[in-house]
């Protein structure tokens, strides 16, 4: 009998990657993926707790699944990801019908846990990190043109607002041999682009002198035959070294895109955030990245309404944005996270203030993004074709090396190919173009 699994993923690329690997494990147990909730035999919610919003969304969706379960007592419901790690057994008190709880460091235990649940056990909980550091999880069954590859997990930075160190643990790097072997295997199955993942990739293997440094690892990956593109995320400005910056001028397949969160433009706020860098140091790193690679696209994360952020501090965030002119920006309202230092501080920023600051900031970024996209009109860019365009079956969609989405007329025979596209129109969120070779 065909058994079906439905996975709902919240949060970052790390979680998307974990969901792919959990699906591969489920497939190994005889399940197939379904997008249709009503026909699922197993529902897995992969949660995020980095901000209040994704966490609330996860709880509300779990409530809905509980109702489904009332109609179908055989339905298995599990919760994975960062809420699972943070709350552990407490989740069982809150949602007694849960079958299992699986933290991000215990993903490899999914088959045993599922087996137990199938035998009738309920309320199983596997969280913690002690043996999850260098486990090689099975590759997804389907071919992936762009594939995530975890190179390190966890974070040692303890920014005062951030829950990541407690839900993803301390920094642990995967052996470079395992990473390279995984990329080889992915290429055998059609992968053309890898996105190296870690909470802080620039400190890859920092505490292991026998291991490759991050830029050396990039250089090794760059030599793998058949791989067309390399990307990585996320970087912390304080750990970004000159050697890593120079890799951009030297490695053929390393794409010209850098995601470098700055979080705030004011030094007072940065200090309270325990970021370990000043606004001037951040600007200096951006300057170096652009000196080495003038066409590099730079994106970042920023938040508004951190405790103590005054109007003057906020204006400095806007000023930094104008100085850098980011190609894209992910912006958030600060939300206190239980267990972090900042959660204990009084916050004078009301939700109205946060909302107003976010709107001003996003409006400014929209102007900058559009201006930058328009500036590409008439230019020719290399595009890796990913599939059909969302809006038209006669158009294809791909990404430039700088990570911009391009839609252009073409057929599905182009999927997986690198083509040159002349940009004809720069829009707010994408580009239009014409294939020219
Ligand atoms: N509140 C709001 N945003 C946060 N981020 C991390 N923690 C919080 C928080 N407590 C944002 C940061 C980070 C991104 C992944 O989420 O900008 O870079
Ligand atoms: Fe969310 Fe952080 Fe967990 Fe990613 S690692 S899912 S951003 S809490």
């Amino acid at each position: 009998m065909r058994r079906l699994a439905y996975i709902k993923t919240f949060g970052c690329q790390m979680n998307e990657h974990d969901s792919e690997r959990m699906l591969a494990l489920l497939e190994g147990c005889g399940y197939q993926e379904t997008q249709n909730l009503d026909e699922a035999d197993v529902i897995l919610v992969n949660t995020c707790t980095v901000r209040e919003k994704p966490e609330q969304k996860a709880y509300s969706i779990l409530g809905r699944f509980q109702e489904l379960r009332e109609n179908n007592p055989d339905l298995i419901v599990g919760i994975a990801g960062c809420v699972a790690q943070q709350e552990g057994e407490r989740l069982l008190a809150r949602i007694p019908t849960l079958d299992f709880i699986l933290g991000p460091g215990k993903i490899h235990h999914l088959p045993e846990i599922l087996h137990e649940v199938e035998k009738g056990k309920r309320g199983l909980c596997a969280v913690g990190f002690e043996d999850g550091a260098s486990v090689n999880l099975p590759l997804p069954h389907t071919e992936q043109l762009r594939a995530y590859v975890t190179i390190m997990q966890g974070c040692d930075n303890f920014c005062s607002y951030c829950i990541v160190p407690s839900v993803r643990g301390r920094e642990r790097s995967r052996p470079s041999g395992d990473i390279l072997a995984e990329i080889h295997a992915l290429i055998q199955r059609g992968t053309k682009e890898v996105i190296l993942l870690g909470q802080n990739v620039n400190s890859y293997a920092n505490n292991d002198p026998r291991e490759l440094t991050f830029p050396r690892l990039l250089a090794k990956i760059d030599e793998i035959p058949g791989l067309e593109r390399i990307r990585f995320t996320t970087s912390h400005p304080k750990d970004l070294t000159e050697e890593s910056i120079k890799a951009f001028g030297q490695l053929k397949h390393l794409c010209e895109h850098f995601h470098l969160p700055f979080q705030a433009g004011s030094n007072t706020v940065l200090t309270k955030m325990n970021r370990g860098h000043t606004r001037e140091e951040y600007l200096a790193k951006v300057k170096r990245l652009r000196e080495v690679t003038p066409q590099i696209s730079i994106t970042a994360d920023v938040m508004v309404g951190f405790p103590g952020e005054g109007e003057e501090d906020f204006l400095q965030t806007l000023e930094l944005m104008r100085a850098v002119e980011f190609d894209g920006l992910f912006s958030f309202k600060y939300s206190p996270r239980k267990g972090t230092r900042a959660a204990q501080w009084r916050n004078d920023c009301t939700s109205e203030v946060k909302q107003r600051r976010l709107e001003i900031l996003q409006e400014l970024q929209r102007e900058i993004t559009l201006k930058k996209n328009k500036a590409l009109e008439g230019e020719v860019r290399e595009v890796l074709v990913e599939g059909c365009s969302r809006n038209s079956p006669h158009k294809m969609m791909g990404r430039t090396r700088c990570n911009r989405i391009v839609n252009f007329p073409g057929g599905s025979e182009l999927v997986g190919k690198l083509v040159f596209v002349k940009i004809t129109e720069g829009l707010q969120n994408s580009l239009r173009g014409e294939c020219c070779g």
Side-chain angles (χ1 to χ4, degrees):
M1 205 181 65
R2 210 165 71 111
R3 287 186 304 167
L4 299 170
Y6 176 94
I7 305 187
K8 175 76 192 166
T9 309
F10 295 92
C12 62
Q13 285 143 321
M14 205 60 113
N15 259 22
E16 280 174 36
H17 168 273
D18 287 350
S19 286
E20 284 172 0
R21 300 305 164 99
M22 286 193 283
L23 178 63
L25 288 165
L26 285 166
E27 285 170 339
C29 301
Y31 289 85
Q32 279 175 357
E33 188 181 23
T34 175
Q35 309 290 341
N36 180 358
L37 194 55
D38 295 319
E39 62 176 18
D41 300 289
V42 170
I43 295 176
L44 191 53
V45 186
N46 196 4
T47 57
C48 171
T49 176
V50 78
R51 293 176 298 276
E52 202 175 355
K53 217 159 131 189
E55 185 173 346
Q56 277 171 354
K57 277 198 208 153
Y59 278 120
S60 83
I61 206 163
L62 272 166
R64 270 182 46 216
F65 297 161
Q66 221 172 337
E67 287 164 24
L68 283 176
R69 207 161 182 275
E70 279 161 22
N71 300 329
N72 174 7
D74 294 332
L75 179 66
I76 297 173
V77 180
I79 176 163
C82 298
V83 175
Q85 174 58 39
Q86 164 143 314
E87 294 300 311
E89 306 255 346
R90 283 193 297 269
L91 273 169
L92 292 172
R94 187 164 172 174
I95 312 171
T97 51
L98 270 180
D99 293 304
F100 66 92
I101 294 161
L102 186 69
K106 297 283 178 173
I107 288 176
H108 52 296
H109 290 303
L110 178 59
E112 299 118 73
I113 289 183
L114 204 56
H115 194 60
E116 293 292 311
V117 175
E118 285 167 344
K119 282 197 301 195
K121 284 227 177 106
R122 293 280 174 265
L124 300 175
C125 180
V127 293
F129 297 103
E130 71 289 352
D131 57 352
S134 57
V135 178
N136 292 313
L137 295 168
L139 296 183
H141 284 197
T142 48
E143 181 182 299
Q144 291 177 301
L145 187 63
R146 312 170 75 228
Y148 296 122
V149 175
T150 301
I151 65 163
M152 54 93 66
Q153 296 186 48
C155 183
D156 287 350
N157 279 324
F158 291 96
C159 299
S160 59
Y161 51 82
C162 189
I163 195 69
V164 168
S166 63
V167 288
R168 291 273 171 173
R170 292 294 80 69
E171 283 181 9
R172 294 140 359 244
S173 295
R174 266 181 96 191
S176 55
D178 289 2
I179 296 169
L180 294 167
E182 185 165 307
I183 297 175
H184 273 285
L186 284 163
I187 292 169
Q188 294 302 311
R189 313 146 141 244
T191 294
K192 296 273 164 58
E193 175 174 321
V194 289
I195 303 138
L196 309 177
L197 291 181
Q199 244 80 39
N200 188 12
V201 290
N202 285 277
S203 55
Y204 172 77
N206 255 1
N207 42 20
D208 185 355
R210 291 156 309 165
E211 197 33 288
L212 299 173
T213 61
F214 179 60
R216 295 247 160 86
L217 176 68
L218 287 176
K220 281 261 184 228
I221 297 173
D222 194 54
E223 289 166 7
I224 301 180
L227 187 64
E228 301 287 1
R229 289 180 165 191
I230 308 169
R231 302 182 189 278
F232 57 80
T233 196
T234 281
S235 299
H236 192 299
K238 88 177 162 45
D239 296 315
L240 170 56
T241 60
E242 181 65 16
E243 201 189 346
S244 286
I245 294 176
K246 286 206 172 117
F248 280 91
Q250 293 160 357
L251 307 180
K252 185 162 173 264
H253 302 105
L254 185 58
C255 290
E256 294 77 14
H257 171 215
F258 211 105
H259 186 67
L260 193 63
F262 72 101
Q263 312 298 2
S266 128
N267 282 337
T268 324
V269 175
L270 285 170
T271 305
K272 284 189 81 182
M273 286 179 165
N274 194 31
R275 287 288 290 171
H277 64 84
T278 61
R279 131 195 210 99
E280 292 75 21
E281 282 159 349
Y282 183 87
L283 289 168
K285 298 257 161 130
V286 169
K287 184 159 172 268
R288 271 306 287 149
L289 278 165
R290 287 190 168 144
E291 275 165 5
V292 172
T293 318
Q295 73 279 27
I296 200 162
S297 119
I298 298 180
T299 57
D301 295 345
V302 60
M303 60 182 108
V304 295
F306 188 74
E309 182 188 79
E311 208 53 32
E312 189 51 40
D313 298 303
F314 173 61
L315 292 178
Q316 290 197 36
T317 292
L318 297 180
E319 205 181 284
L320 188 146
M321 286 169 58
R322 284 195 198 95
V324 175
E325 298 205 310
F326 291 99
D327 295 81
L329 191 63
F330 297 94
S331 45
F332 310 104
K333 286 189 259 188
Y334 165 77
S335 52
R337 306 281 68 209
K338 205 170 57 189
T340 61
R341 268 204 290 149
Q344 298 162 11
W345 300 336
R346 203 171 71 94
N347 195 349
D348 289 333
C349 296
T350 59
S351 55
E352 291 75 28
V353 168
K354 288 182 192 166
Q355 184 61 29
R356 184 179 58 79
R357 288 184 185 163
L358 190 71
E359 282 168 17
I360 294 171
L361 181 154
Q362 290 182 338
E363 183 51 36
L364 171 61
Q365 185 55 42
R366 268 195 293 275
E367 280 169 29
I368 296 171
T369 312
L370 185 61
K371 183 177 110 180
K372 294 205 125 187
N373 286 349
K374 287 230 167 286
L376 288 168
E377 291 175 1
E379 302 270 324
V380 172
R381 287 289 180 273
E382 181 200 272
V383 169
L384 177 61
V385 186
E386 292 177 24
C388 247
S389 159
R390 243 196 291 170
N391 303 324
S392 158
H394 309 297
K395 282 190 172 177
M396 301 310 288
M397 184 283 273
R399 238 171 265 256
T400 65
R401 286 174 63 104
C402 292
N403 215 27
R404 286 189 168 82
I405 302 236
V406 189
N407 292 295
F408 60 98
S412 55
E413 72 284 354
L414 295 177
V415 174
K417 302 233 159 56
L418 286 173
V419 295
F420 285 95
V421 174
K422 183 167 184 183
I423 308 305
T424 53
E425 198 178 353
L427 306 171
Q428 186 66 65
N429 299 316
S430 64
L431 307 172
R432 283 194 187 130
E434 278 161 12
C435 196
C436 57

